[in-house]
Amino acid sequence: MAEHQHTLQASSVPASISSDSSPATVATACTPSPPQTYCRSCGGPTTDAVSISLPPQWSDSSPPPPYRPIRAPAINAPTNTNAIVLAPVPRPLPVPVAEPPFHFEVPSKRIFSSDDIQRFHSSAAGRHFLGFLAALSDSVRGRKIHDPVLPLSPALSSLLSLIETLDKWIEEIPPLPHSSRYGNPAYRSWHDKLSDEGISLILPLLTSDELRPAADELLPYLLDSFGNASRIDYGTGHEANFAAFLYCLARLGLIKEEDYPALVTRVFVAYLHLMRRLQTMYCLEPAGSHGVWGLDDYHFLPFIFGSAQLIDHKYMKPRSIHNPDILDNFSNEYMYLACVAFVRKVKKGTFGEHSPMLDDISGVPTWTKVNSGLLKMYKAEVLEKVPIMQHFLFGSLIKWE
């Protein structure tokens, strides 16, 4: 008979006990024994089931294999989670308006070590910059993107015009054929145009002759807000430079607290839209990405602002990001949902595998807790990281103290 592999099938017929069995035999027969198994292919009896079904015993000479989790932590996963949890939540602070006489200067890099990081955060400039971001988040609490806002101030109108101009340049400078996954060289042409015309884009923001010299100080912040031309990349450090650019305008008194809701839902949303186009059109490489352990390969602030928008929402909870209908219908009104939808669009596979951090956050019960946790995480994972903050700029408006 041809050889075949036996497949185990337990017999449903119990072993019989003969009527003339001795008591010892009966006692032995009554002892529970493994059922006889039969091959599903030929119906013949197989070998002893116990010897097959029981796994081998581990010994000192043959220990069990090491446990490997299904989702092994990445090298760049956040390691100071306890410190983040115990840290105080950043609170909104008013921006101190600079007063004349002004002494504008071209900003420069000052952070080179963790000691410099601590010096920055213990300074008034560090506290007020973080407080400015917390105030922006608080200003859109419970607001949708298209909710009515106060009439746009001249500064906000000029910012929207600036972003619209940069967006039009993408059409004028199409991507070039290239074989690499990241880094279309046409981006360098786009950024060169920004460098050439940057001052002319900034001057409409400066409404008085007294403030016009500030253009030289504001320009480096603007140039670093849209990525790096030599590396053709973009990350949270560039996003932080755009926030610093807005903070400098607030220091000059051009952006006031009543402008904050429109600054987020109009200007920052337009900036985010522009950056998504740049990232996809020119294949910008993520700069300093945490890989799967980051919120997004490029951005952090829209998750903070977006979670504030959803605070106290009657129906949508953090777990609602797993509902495709909610993402499809409400991404145009809530930045957090728009960011999750973008991640799902550009990344393949199971959401919990390619975005475990977002997946974990979806288990938080309320948007208030999500928002406060993200503010603390932004301070720890962006503003306290030397590889990111070493590119941050300091001048007369953001002072190195």
Side-chain angles (χ1 to χ4, degrees), residues 138-399:
D138 191 64
S139 72
V140 293
R141 182 178 178 130
R143 286 177 174 266
K144 294 187 291 187
I145 289 175
H146 293 101
D147 278 352
V149 293
L150 294 176
L152 297 182
S153 67
L156 298 194
S157 298
S158 296
L159 282 170
L160 288 175
S161 177
L162 184 155
I163 294 173
E164 183 181 357
T165 299
L166 299 182
D167 192 82
K168 290 179 180 177
W169 291 354
I170 299 177
E171 303 299 331
E172 300 173 8
I173 307 173
L176 298 173
H178 76 122
S179 57
S180 302
R181 178 184 179 188
Y182 291 117
N184 193 295
Y187 172 74
R188 293 195 176 104
S189 300
W190 184 92
H191 203 279
D192 288 343
K193 189 174 179 66
L194 173 62
S195 300
D196 294 339
E197 302 187 22
I199 291 291
S200 63
L201 293 172
I202 291 175
L203 286 177
L205 291 163
L206 307 174
T207 54
S208 68
D209 293 337
E210 190 178 32
L211 295 180
R212 286 185 177 275
D216 291 331
E217 182 164 343
L218 294 173
L219 180 62
Y221 291 108
L222 182 69
L223 297 182
D224 282 349
S225 296
F226 304 97
N228 182 275
S230 59
R231 297 188 302 269
I232 314 183
D233 64 4
Y234 176 90
T236 51
H238 302 105
E239 181 186 64
N241 269 293
F242 183 71
F245 178 70
L246 299 179
Y247 176 76
C248 288
L249 295 178
R251 287 270 289 140
L252 293 172
L254 299 173
I255 295 177
K256 306 183 184 322
E257 285 193 32
E258 56 265 28
D259 297 324
Y260 286 2
L263 184 63
V264 176
T265 61
R266 301 296 188 268
V267 175
F268 190 84
V269 167
Y271 167 76
L272 180 61
H273 174 75
L274 169 63
M275 287 316 310
R276 292 303 193 197
R277 289 200 68 198
L278 289 172
Q279 291 152 16
T280 54
M281 189 71 72
Y282 297 125
C283 305
L284 302 188
E285 184 174 3
S289 170
H290 282 281
V292 300
W293 290 99
L295 295 177
D296 183 308
D297 284 338
Y298 301 102
H299 292 282
F300 201 120
L301 289 178
F303 289 95
I304 295 177
F305 302 152
S307 60
Q309 287 182 279
L310 288 160
I311 288 176
D312 296 330
H313 195 283
K314 188 174 182 180
Y315 301 108
M316 282 185 280
K317 308 301 179 186
R319 64 178 179 272
S320 299
I321 66 169
H322 299 292
N323 187 327
D325 290 337
I326 286 180
L327 296 181
D328 291 341
N329 293 314
F330 297 99
S331 292
N332 63 328
E333 292 289 1
Y334 298 99
M335 275 180 278
Y336 195 100
L337 301 182
C339 288
V340 172
F342 181 82
V343 169
R344 286 185 176 274
K345 177 182 177 181
V346 300
K347 295 189 177 183
K348 307 301 180 185
T350 305
F351 185 75
E353 292 179 355
H354 64 61
S355 300
M357 187 66 69
L358 288 174
D359 189 51
D360 291 345
I361 292 174
S362 70
V364 177
T366 66
W367 287 112
T368 301
K369 289 185 176 294
V370 171
N371 181 253
S372 61
L374 288 176
L375 280 168
K376 294 190 289 184
M377 187 177 173
Y378 184 77
K379 181 175 184 288
E381 295 298 320
V382 177
L383 299 184
E384 291 183 352
K385 295 299 184 184
V386 175
I388 296 175
M389 294 301 291
Q390 66 182 348
H391 304 291
F392 201 74
L393 301 173
F394 295 87
S396 69
L397 298 174
I398 302 180
K399 293 183 179 181

Side-chain angles (χ1 to χ4, degrees), residues 46-164:
T46 63
T47 55
D48 181 18
V50 175
S51 64
I52 295 177
S53 59
L54 292 179
Q57 298 297 315
W58 303 114
S59 64
D60 294 337
S61 60
S62 179
Y67 169 71
R68 294 177 65 89
I70 295 176
R71 191 173 73 198
I75 294 175
N76 54 359
T79 56
N80 57 341
T81 52
N82 288 335
I84 295 175
V85 170
L86 298 175
V89 179
R91 298 299 180 188
L93 290 176
V95 175
V97 179
E99 297 180 355
F102 300 112
H103 302 284
F104 299 118
E105 61 186 78
V106 176
S108 59
K109 300 176 183 179
R110 295 296 187 93
I111 293 178
F112 305 100
S113 66
S114 56
D115 291 338
D116 294 334
I117 291 284
Q118 295 304 318
R119 180 175 174 178
F120 170 59
H121 285 286
S122 62
S123 68
R127 293 193 302 272
H128 282 103
F129 178 64
L130 183 58
F132 170 68
L133 297 178
L136 291 182
S137 172
D138 191 64
S139 72
V140 293
R141 182 178 178 130
R143 286 177 174 266
K144 294 187 291 187
I145 289 175
H146 293 101
D147 278 352
V149 293
L150 294 176
L152 297 182
S153 67
L156 298 194
S157 298
S158 296
L159 282 170
L160 288 175
S161 177
L162 184 155
I163 294 173
E164 183 181 357

